């Protein structure tokens, strides 16, 4: 009888998710045998590129967790942040910090396993998929709520009082987490299967009807809302600026030396023969605020679309057409979506000087 190969010779350890597949041996060469029906094929050991990618993913996970945690701690410690719209920012930070704490580490473990197989059991698979869909959907809808709040505060600043703003923002937060829970818990009630023990696969339910429901509820519907909101903000800002320029009241010409006009916003009242002339130079405070809000919402929406649209296109198309998308592209699109949780706090704190000052005071007090 021929001696059976040693168990360690059946496969070479390494990060299969990022390593080069070595299953195809050269012509005439000896291929490494497979373990009895397990289908574990040999792979090359760690490469420098694989180690670099895994290190970047680990750093992204840590940075996402720490940055969103810093935002939450700042909102809790500073009393001026205990009001709208900072409650929407806090809800977004909660969803993003949960993505970094509960979802991204297990996804990284899956990337390290052979063939992106799931070896942690059915129960942990269901928990991971549920938290993945819950937190990512909540993060997307929280971004939508921030965009809606910015739009209403600019377009309806007379009716959208502080009390109304608080009531509406709390309602949006409640609806965000309720809808996210419905989408994430639907597969647990029998709408498709997320875990395959034979293939050791753990993924979002591929049932076509659930794919349409989940992708529309988690991405395409909020995408339509944020695009509509940004179009309205941009249109309103252009209308206000254009109207101010058309309706500007020029001062009466006066004799004598003419002083150079200042570029700073100012108001000049001149009384002469019982008449009053009015003059404004530069942009008003509200126009500057509208421009800043439009820029912030535009960047927030742009990053949101770029991060998530590749993943949700594949998630919708793959179950409907039974397309076989390479696993490496699925991982790239998934981690690109996860990176949105890292960019969110960077964007909405970069446009608010109060957060920067609060961060400085927080670190100064710790010293």
């Amino acid at each position: 009888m021929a001696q059976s190969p040693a168990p360690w010779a059946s496969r070479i350890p390494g990060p299969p998710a990022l390593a080069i597949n070595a299953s195809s041996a050269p012509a005439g060469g000896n291929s490494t045998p497979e373990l009895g029906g397990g289908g574990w094929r040999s792979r090359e050991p760690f490469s420098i590129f694989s180690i670099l990618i895994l290190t970047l993913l680990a750093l992204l996970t840590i940075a996402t967790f720490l940055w969103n945690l810093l935002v939450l701690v700042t909102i809790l410690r500073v009393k001026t942040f205990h009001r709208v719209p900072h409650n929407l920012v806090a809800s977004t930070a909660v969803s993003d910090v949960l993505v970094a704490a509960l979802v991204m580490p297990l996804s990284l473990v899956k990337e390290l396993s052979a063939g992106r197989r799931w070896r942690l059991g059915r129960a942990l698979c269901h928990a991971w998929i549920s938290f993945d869909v819950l937190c990512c959907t909540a993060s997307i809808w929280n971004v939508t709520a921030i965009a809606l709040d910015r739009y209403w505060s600019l377009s309806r600043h007379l009716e959208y009082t502080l009390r109304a703003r608080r009531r509406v923002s709390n309602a949006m937060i409640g609806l965000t987490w309720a809808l996210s829970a419905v989408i994430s818990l639907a597969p647990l009630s029998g709408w498709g299967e997320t875990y395959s023990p034979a293939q050791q696969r753990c993924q979002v339910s591929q049932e076509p009807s659930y794919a349409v429901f989940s992708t529309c509820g988690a991405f395409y519907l909020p995408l339509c809302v944020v695009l509509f909101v940004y179009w309205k903000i941009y249109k309103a800002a252009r209308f206000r600026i254009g109207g101010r320029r058309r309706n500007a009241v020029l001062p009466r010409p006066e004799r004598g030396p003419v002083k150079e006009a200042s570029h700073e916003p100012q108001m000049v009242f001149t009384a002469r023969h019982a008449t009053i002339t009015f003059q404004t130079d530069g942009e008003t405070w509200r126009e500057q605020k509208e421009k800043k809000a439009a820029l912030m919402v535009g960047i927030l929406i742009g990053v949101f679309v770029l991060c998530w649209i590749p993943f949700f296109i594949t998630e919708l198309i793959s179950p409907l057409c039974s397309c076989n998308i390479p696993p490496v592209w699925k991982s790239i699109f998934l981690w690109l979506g996860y990176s949105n949780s890292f960019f969110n706090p960077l964007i909405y704190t970069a446009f608010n000087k109060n957060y920067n000052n609060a961060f400085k005071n927080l670190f100064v007090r710790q010293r």
Side-chain angles (χ1 to χ4, degrees):
M1 293 179 63
Q3 186 177 0
S4 60
W8 53 265
S10 60
R11 63 187 293 268
I12 302 174
L18 300 171
I20 302 174
N21 194 340
S23 59
S24 55
N30 296 328
S31 60
T32 305
E34 296 178 357
L35 287 176
W40 289 11
R41 298 179 180 179
S42 63
R43 290 179 180 268
E44 292 184 0
F46 283 94
S47 66
I48 297 178
F49 180 74
S50 302
I51 296 175
L52 177 62
I53 295 299
L54 290 173
T55 303
L56 290 177
L57 295 181
L59 291 176
L60 176 64
T61 303
I62 297 172
T64 303
F65 177 79
L66 293 179
W67 190 246
N68 284 281
L69 185 64
L70 176 62
V71 173
L72 282 176
V73 172
T74 303
I75 294 176
L76 290 175
R77 290 178 64 106
V78 180
K79 292 184 179 180
T80 56
F81 291 159
H82 296 175
R83 55 184 176 84
V84 291
H86 303 290
N87 57 342
L88 295 172
V89 176
S91 180
T92 307
V94 168
S95 60
D96 290 335
V97 80
L98 290 177
V99 169
L102 302 177
V103 179
M104 295 172 72
L106 289 178
S107 184
L108 186 60
V109 170
K110 184 182 177 182
E111 294 294 329
L112 289 169
S113 65
R116 294 182 176 86
R117 299 170 186 256
W118 183 263
R119 308 183 188 280
L120 302 178
R122 179 186 296 272
L124 194 55
C125 171
H126 287 168
W128 176 57
I129 293 296
S130 298
F131 279 115
D132 189 352
V133 177
L134 172 69
C135 300
C136 292
T137 304
S139 177
I140 292 172
W141 274 107
N142 279 317
V143 171
T144 307
I146 291 176
L148 283 171
D149 177 74
R150 291 291 189 271
Y151 168 63
W152 287 329
S153 64
L154 294 176
S155 63
R156 304 178 182 179
H157 54 275
L158 295 180
E159 302 92 349
Y160 201 50
T161 61
L162 183 60
R163 180 177 298 179
R165 195 177 186 184
R166 184 185 300 111
R167 184 172 61 251
V168 171
S169 62
N170 290 334
M172 288 193 296
I173 292 174
L175 290 175
T176 290
W177 287 97
L179 178 62
S180 303
V182 170
I183 296 175
S184 64
L185 298 178
L188 299 181
S189 61
W191 200 353
E193 183 58 52
T194 59
Y195 178 69
S196 174
Q199 300 178 349
Q200 291 184 323
R201 181 179 300 172
C202 181
Q203 61 182 358
V204 179
S205 174
Q206 298 296 296
E207 183 71 24
S209 58
Y210 177 76
V212 174
F213 168 74
S214 61
T215 55
C216 289
F219 178 74
Y220 292 107
L221 180 58
L223 175 64
C224 294
V225 173
V226 295
L227 291 179
F228 173 77
V229 164
Y230 184 68
W231 175 71
K232 296 291 287 184
I233 292 177
Y234 178 76
K235 185 178 178 181
R238 288 194 59 184
F239 175 78
R240 287 179 182 273
I241 295 173
R244 184 183 70 87
R245 290 175 178 174
R246 289 191 301 268
N247 299 327
V249 179
L250 299 177
R252 292 183 177 183
E254 298 180 4
R255 296 180 179 179
V258 179
K259 295 182 180 180
E260 183 180 356
S262 174
H263 295 286
E264 297 294 329
Q266 60 181 352
M267 294 183 181
V268 179
F269 295 91
T270 305
R272 181 177 297 160
H273 302 295
T275 61
I276 298 177
T277 60
F278 176 78
Q279 170 186 340
T280 58
D281 295 328
E283 293 181 341
T284 64
W285 172 82
R286 178 162 293 278
E287 287 171 354
Q288 293 177 355
K289 182 180 178 182
E290 289 177 356
K291 278 188 175 182
K292 192 173 182 180
L295 181 61
M296 189 277 290
V297 174
I299 295 176
L300 194 67
I301 293 173
V303 173
F304 153 72
V305 173
L306 290 177
C307 288
W308 279 116
I309 198 168
F311 171 79
F312 279 100
I313 288 177
T314 57
E315 282 297 306
L316 180 61
I317 294 177
S318 181
L320 297 180
C321 67
S322 300
C323 303
N324 188 15
I325 300 175
V328 63
W329 285 107
K330 287 187 175 181
S331 294
I332 291 174
F333 295 155
L334 179 62
W335 281 92
L336 183 62
Y338 289 159
S339 68
N340 186 236
S341 295
F342 169 76
F343 290 116
N344 282 339
L346 292 179
I347 296 171
Y348 54 65
T349 57
F351 286 86
N352 194 323
K353 295 182 179 180
N354 294 329
Y355 279 103
N356 298 328
N357 296 331
F359 292 157
K360 294 178 182 179
N361 294 333
L362 182 64
F363 286 113
V364 167
R365 289 180 181 179
Q366 292 297 330
R367 291 179 183 177

